[in-house]
Amino acid sequence: MSKPSLKSFLLEAVEEAYPDAHKLAIKEGKLAKFGVRIPQESEYPTVCPFSIDQILDEDFYGL
C-alpha cells in the first residue's frame, strides 16, 4: 500500500487559489508608493510561476 501524497492536493489548491491571488496582486500593485514602479496588468503571470517545491522551500524566498 502506497502512502497518500499531499503534493497533488497542494497543486490543486494552488491552481484554485491563484486566480484570486492574481487579482489581489494587481489591486495591491496599483497602491504602490514612494517611487515604486506600478506594473501593468499584463506583467502579472496568469498561471503560478512557482513549483510546489519552490513554494515549500524556505530558502527559495531568500529569508
Side-chain angles (χ1 to χ4, degrees):
M1 190 163 143
S2 65
K3 291 182 180 180
S5 173
L6 289 178
K7 212 167 205 176
S8 62
F9 170 78
L10 290 173
L11 185 57
E12 283 183 42
V14 169
E15 287 175 357
E16 186 176 320
Y18 193 79
D20 290 335
H22 179 260
K23 290 177 194 172
L24 182 60
I26 292 170
K27 183 179 175 182
E28 292 291 324
K30 290 178 181 177
L31 302 175
K33 295 181 181 177
F34 306 113
V36 175
R37 184 182 72 81
I38 299 174
Q40 298 294 314
E41 283 190 35
S42 61
E43 294 179 72
Y44 292 89
T46 56
V47 176
C48 182
F50 306 108
S51 70
I52 295 300
D53 290 332
Q54 290 171 319
I55 292 170
L56 296 176
D57 181 0
E58 293 178 18
D59 295 327
F60 177 74
Y61 300 99
L63 300 174

